[in-house]
Coordinates of all heavy atoms in Angstrom, one line a residue:
I57 N 25.4 -143.4 144.1 CA 25.9 -144.3 145.1 C 26.3 -143.5 146.3 O 26.0 -143.8 147.5 CB 26.8 -145.4 144.7 CG1 26.3 -146.3 143.7 CG2 27.5 -146.1 146.0 CD1 27.3 -147.3 143.1
L58 N 27.2 -142.5 146.1 CA 27.8 -141.8 147.2 C 26.6 -141.1 147.9 O 26.5 -141.0 149.0 CB 28.7 -140.7 146.6 CG 30.1 -141.1 146.2 CD1 30.9 -139.9 145.8 CD2 30.8 -141.9 147.2
A59 N 25.7 -140.5 147.1 CA 24.5 -139.7 147.7 C 23.7 -140.6 148.5 O 23.1 -140.2 149.5 CB 23.8 -139.0 146.6
A60 N 23.4 -141.7 148.0 CA 22.5 -142.7 148.6 C 23.1 -143.3 149.9 O 22.4 -143.3 150.9 CB 22.3 -143.9 147.6
I61 N 24.3 -143.6 149.9 CA 25.0 -144.1 151.2 C 25.0 -143.0 152.3 O 24.8 -143.2 153.4 CB 26.4 -144.5 150.8 CG1 26.4 -145.8 150.0 CG2 27.2 -144.9 152.2 CD1 27.8 -146.2 149.5
E62 N 25.3 -141.7 151.8 CA 25.3 -140.6 152.8 C 23.8 -140.4 153.4 O 23.8 -140.2 154.6 CB 25.6 -139.3 152.1 CG 27.1 -139.2 151.7 CD 27.4 -138.0 150.9 OE1 26.6 -137.4 150.3 OE2 28.6 -137.7 150.7
E63 N 22.8 -140.6 152.5 CA 21.4 -140.4 153.1 C 21.1 -141.6 154.0 O 20.5 -141.5 155.1 CB 20.5 -140.4 152.0 CG 19.0 -140.2 152.4 CD 18.0 -140.0 151.3 OE1 18.4 -139.3 150.3 OE2 16.9 -140.5 151.4
I64 N 21.6 -142.8 153.7 CA 21.3 -144.0 154.5 C 22.0 -143.8 155.9 O 21.4 -144.1 156.9 CB 21.9 -145.3 153.8 CG1 21.0 -145.6 152.6 CG2 21.9 -146.4 154.8 CD1 21.6 -146.7 151.6
I65 N 23.2 -143.3 155.8 CA 23.9 -143.1 157.1 C 23.2 -142.1 158.0 O 23.2 -142.2 159.2 CB 25.4 -142.5 156.8 CG1 26.3 -143.7 156.1 CG2 26.1 -142.1 158.1 CD1 27.6 -143.2 155.6
D66 N 22.7 -141.0 157.3 CA 22.1 -140.0 158.1 C 20.7 -140.4 158.7 O 20.3 -139.9 159.8 CB 21.8 -138.7 157.2 CG 23.0 -138.0 156.8 OD1 24.1 -138.2 157.6 OD2 23.1 -137.3 155.8
N67 N 20.0 -141.3 158.0 CA 18.6 -141.6 158.4 C 18.5 -143.0 159.2 O 17.5 -143.2 159.8 CB 17.8 -141.7 157.2 CG 17.6 -140.3 156.6 OD1 17.7 -139.3 157.2 ND2 17.4 -140.2 155.2
T68 N 19.5 -143.9 159.0 CA 19.4 -145.1 159.6 C 19.5 -145.1 161.2 O 20.2 -144.3 161.8 CB 20.4 -146.2 159.2 OG1 20.1 -147.5 159.6 CG2 21.8 -145.8 159.5
K69 N 18.6 -146.0 161.9 CA 18.8 -146.1 163.3 C 19.6 -147.3 163.7 O 19.8 -147.6 164.9 CB 17.4 -146.2 163.9 CG 16.5 -145.0 163.6 CD 15.1 -145.1 164.3 CE 14.3 -143.8 164.1 NZ 12.9 -144.0 164.6
Q70 N 20.1 -148.0 162.7 CA 20.9 -149.2 163.0 C 22.4 -148.9 163.0 O 22.9 -148.5 162.0 CB 20.6 -150.3 162.0 CG 19.2 -150.7 161.8 CD 18.9 -151.7 160.8 OE1 19.6 -152.8 160.7 NE2 18.0 -151.4 159.9
S71 N 23.0 -149.0 164.1 CA 24.4 -148.7 164.2 C 25.4 -149.4 163.4 O 26.3 -148.9 162.8 CB 24.9 -148.8 165.7 OG 24.7 -150.2 166.1
D72 N 25.1 -150.7 163.1 CA 25.9 -151.5 162.3 C 25.8 -151.1 160.8 O 26.8 -151.0 160.0 CB 25.5 -153.0 162.4 CG 24.1 -153.3 162.0 OD1 23.3 -152.5 162.2 OD2 23.9 -154.4 161.4
V73 N 24.6 -150.7 160.3 CA 24.4 -150.2 159.0 C 25.1 -148.9 158.8 O 25.8 -148.7 157.8 CB 22.9 -150.0 158.7 CG1 22.7 -149.3 157.3 CG2 22.2 -151.4 158.6
R74 N 25.0 -148.1 159.9 CA 25.7 -146.7 159.8 C 27.2 -146.9 159.7 O 27.9 -146.3 158.9 CB 25.4 -145.9 161.0 CG 25.9 -144.5 161.0 CD 25.5 -143.7 162.3 NE 24.1 -143.7 162.4 CZ 23.5 -144.3 163.4 NH1 24.2 -145.0 164.3 NH2 22.2 -144.3 163.6
A75 N 27.7 -147.9 160.4 CA 29.2 -148.1 160.5 C 29.7 -148.6 159.2 O 30.7 -148.2 158.6 CB 29.5 -149.1 161.7
K76 N 29.0 -149.6 158.6 CA 29.3 -150.2 157.3 C 29.2 -149.1 156.2 O 30.1 -149.1 155.4 CB 28.3 -151.4 156.9 CG 28.6 -152.6 157.8 CD 27.6 -153.7 157.3 CE 27.8 -155.0 158.2 NZ 26.8 -156.0 157.8
G77 N 28.1 -148.3 156.3 CA 28.0 -147.2 155.3 C 29.2 -146.3 155.3 O 29.7 -145.8 154.3
K78 N 29.6 -145.9 156.5 CA 30.7 -144.9 156.7 C 32.0 -145.5 156.2 O 32.8 -144.9 155.5 CB 30.8 -144.6 158.1 CG 29.8 -143.6 158.7 CD 30.1 -143.2 160.1 CE 29.0 -142.1 160.6 NZ 29.2 -141.8 162.0
G79 N 32.2 -146.8 156.4 CA 33.4 -147.5 155.9 C 33.4 -147.5 154.4 O 34.4 -147.2 153.8

Side-chain angles (χ1 to χ4, degrees):
I57 292 172
L58 290 183
I61 294 176
E62 287 172 349
E63 181 169 322
I64 291 166
I65 291 170
D66 290 340
N67 296 330
T68 186
K69 295 180 180 178
Q70 301 177 52
S71 59
D72 60 327
V73 171
R74 187 180 303 110
K76 287 179 182 177
K78 286 182 177 180

